[in-house]
Amino acid sequence: MTFIDVPKSSHRLLAARPAQFCTSCSPGGPGPSPVLRSQLLGWRITCPLCGDLLRAENRRELPSPFPQYRVAALRGEKLLDDEAERGIRTWTSPAEIARLLLMRRVIWPLPREHELWRYRVLGAIVPDLDHVVAAEQVNLPTPAKPILPLHLRPALLAGVAIVERAGPEMLRMLRGHMMGDNKVRFTDAAENMIARAGKLRASGQMQLI
Ligand SMILES: [Zn+2]
């Protein structure tokens, strides 16, 4: 199995070990079985072969706490899949959006220090996230490796789809949820993405002339 064609921006969404499986497509039976590519793709919630929902590798079946974002999540999955597997991007890199959405955000009043890690930019788009993360006491991953547990993944996929559809202004708006160095890092990355999108649009218009 090779990921040589996967663009660099999507590499951080590749799991080192199988994170999920498809009950229909994964070979069962005793003994070690070969790992399928789909088991390592951190942006998938459905099987690329048959379209069934994937199951977590630990075989705990947890329903997603974000059923209302199902359609948006599938759209986000497709955006990330198009980029990783086919090199297709829209105005920006969906994998870059995913990374920004996992950065920390600030809420007011400031929470206690040991709770600060909980609040991510994504929670400003999918408000249920803060509550779910608090209730389940899950450790969300860092932006460096933005692979969420399978049942929480729809939140990130939906967030990617919502930002992609809303466009650059939404990235600028999200800055308001941050402060300090984090805000600077977020702004730099977001402005880079917006500038590249502008160039892309300009060169597209040039071709039309
Ligand atoms: Zn399958």
Side-chain angles (χ1 to χ4, degrees), residues 21-26 36 38 46-54:
F21 71 105
C22 172
T23 41
S24 312
C25 301
S26 292
L36 296 179
S38 60
T46 65
C47 170
L49 301 174
C50 72
D52 282 359
L53 281 177
L54 293 167

Side-chain angles (χ1 to χ4, degrees), residues 4-20:
I4 205 156
D5 292 334
V6 172
K8 226 168 150 201
S9 50
S10 303
H11 273 208
R12 61 175 76 91
L13 282 159
L14 294 169
R17 282 182 301 278
Q20 59 227 5

Side-chain angles (χ1 to χ4, degrees), residues 77-159:
E77 180 189 53
K78 181 164 188 323
L79 286 169
L80 287 158
D81 203 60
D82 278 346
E83 177 180 30
E85 303 284 32
R86 287 167 284 282
I88 300 170
R89 286 179 180 174
T90 56
W91 63 271
T92 192
S93 157
E96 282 292 312
I97 298 178
R99 189 173 74 83
L100 292 186
L101 291 181
L102 281 181
M103 289 179 73
R104 285 187 187 189
R105 82 174 201 280
V106 174
I107 61 155
W108 303 100
L110 276 177
R112 283 166 296 178
E113 193 165 346
H114 71 276
E115 291 177 336
L116 282 172
W117 57 269
R118 220 185 254 167
Y119 301 95
R120 308 300 178 93
V121 176
L122 182 58
I125 300 174
V126 178
D128 297 350
L129 183 74
D130 292 347
H131 167 73
V132 170
V133 169
E136 295 192 11
Q137 290 287 306
V138 275
N139 270 321
L140 286 178
T142 65
K145 204 76 193 164
I147 303 178
L148 264 66
L150 192 63
H151 74 293
L152 300 182
R153 206 171 292 169
L156 182 60
L157 301 181

